[in-house]
Amino acid sequence: MMKVATITAGAVATNSYVLFNERSECVVVDPGDGISEVIAYLDKNALDCKHVLLTHAHFDHCDGCGTLQRRGAKIYMSADDLPLLSTSDNLAEAFGEKFEPFTPDVIVKDGDELSLLGEKFDVIATPGHTNGSVCYKVNDLIFSGDTLFRLSIGRTDFPTGNYADMENSLAKLFALDGDYVVYPGHGEKSTLGYERKYNPYARI
């Protein structure tokens, strides 16, 4: 079973996640503009980042990809968010940040099963916050990016956001069998069961 470390950093306190095994290999989810803190954690714990999973391509979730790619990691993301990498739609300019372009190594789509470090990661397309937003499910964990938060959801008023798509994506998550620990792009972790019961958007 992989262990999970949460690193909250950057201009808008984005959560990056480090999933690592007993062999000191790891997967990083959403390395954003707080990449220096992520690198410090990897180096302190002698972790080798093999893979990077992006939930979407806003700067605060992917600005560290170039750094990890140069260290040997492969970058995974949805093709539907590729336009954000080369336009101001990644929001870096709006926040006064400089964005480092990169090219993903692997394009993912809904229903893909990724075998990474001996674990199976399921890709769940969840457009709404951006057109190419995805969640990743592994074991009893879901990395929800800016789709589902504790008692809230991601904004849909940014470029390529769409509220109707968000409604459909939330319904898709809430319909999953069983319970999961939810690790969101911002804020505290939660569980899918708790969100089904208490999140006001579970009843839209």
Side-chain angles (χ1 to χ4, degrees):
M1 182 70 70
M2 303 184 87
K3 297 180 179 179
V4 181
T6 304
I7 300 166
T8 304
V12 288
T14 302
N15 294 329
S16 297
Y17 297 103
V18 180
L19 290 71
F20 57 97
N21 59 24
E22 68 282 354
R23 298 185 301 277
S24 297
E25 300 167 323
C26 72
V27 174
V28 174
V29 179
D30 285 355
D33 57 319
I35 186 61
S36 58
E37 286 89 340
V38 174
I39 293 297
Y41 182 87
L42 298 181
D43 289 348
K44 179 181 178 182
N45 294 280
L47 295 174
D48 180 14
C49 179
K50 299 290 190 181
H51 311 279
V52 170
L53 301 179
L54 298 183
T55 63
H56 63 292
H58 283 156
F59 82 99
D60 59 312
H61 292 258
C62 69
D63 200 31
C65 284
T67 299
L68 291 176
Q69 210 169 30
R70 288 190 292 274
R71 291 166 66 110
K74 286 188 175 181
I75 314 296
Y76 299 69
M77 68 172 282
S78 167
D80 291 330
D81 264 10
L82 287 174
L84 275 62
L85 299 182
S86 56
T87 68
S88 61
D89 288 353
N90 60 48
L91 303 182
E93 186 178 320
F95 282 83
E97 299 288 331
K98 185 176 176 61
F99 184 73
E100 181 187 356
F102 65 93
T103 301
D105 299 283
V106 181
I107 296 300
V108 301
K109 64 183 184 305
D110 188 51
D112 280 354
E113 294 183 0
L114 309 175
S115 180
L116 308 177
L117 308 187
E119 301 284 356
K120 181 171 73 76
F121 290 75
D122 293 308
V123 180
I124 306 170
T126 53
H129 182 64
T130 66
N131 194 38
S133 288
V134 301
C135 297
Y136 297 94
K137 179 166 68 74
V138 54
N139 299 320
D140 61 347
L141 315 176
I142 292 177
F143 295 89
S144 62
D146 286 3
T147 297
L148 178 63
F149 298 139
R150 185 179 185 276
L151 298 177
S152 189
I153 62 173
R155 292 173 58 169
T156 59
D157 58 336
F158 291 134
T160 81
N162 183 289
Y163 187 72
D165 286 346
M166 178 65 85
E167 288 182 316
N168 291 332
S169 293
L170 292 169
K172 190 177 186 179
L173 291 179
F174 292 136
L176 291 173
D177 290 334
D179 200 8
Y180 296 86
V181 179
V182 177
Y183 288 93
H186 304 273
E188 299 175 46
K189 69 180 180 180
S190 185
T191 68
L192 199 57
Y194 183 88
E195 298 308 314
R196 287 188 189 109
K197 187 172 183 180
Y198 295 110
N199 192 310
Y201 294 94
R203 292 177 286 280
I204 54 178

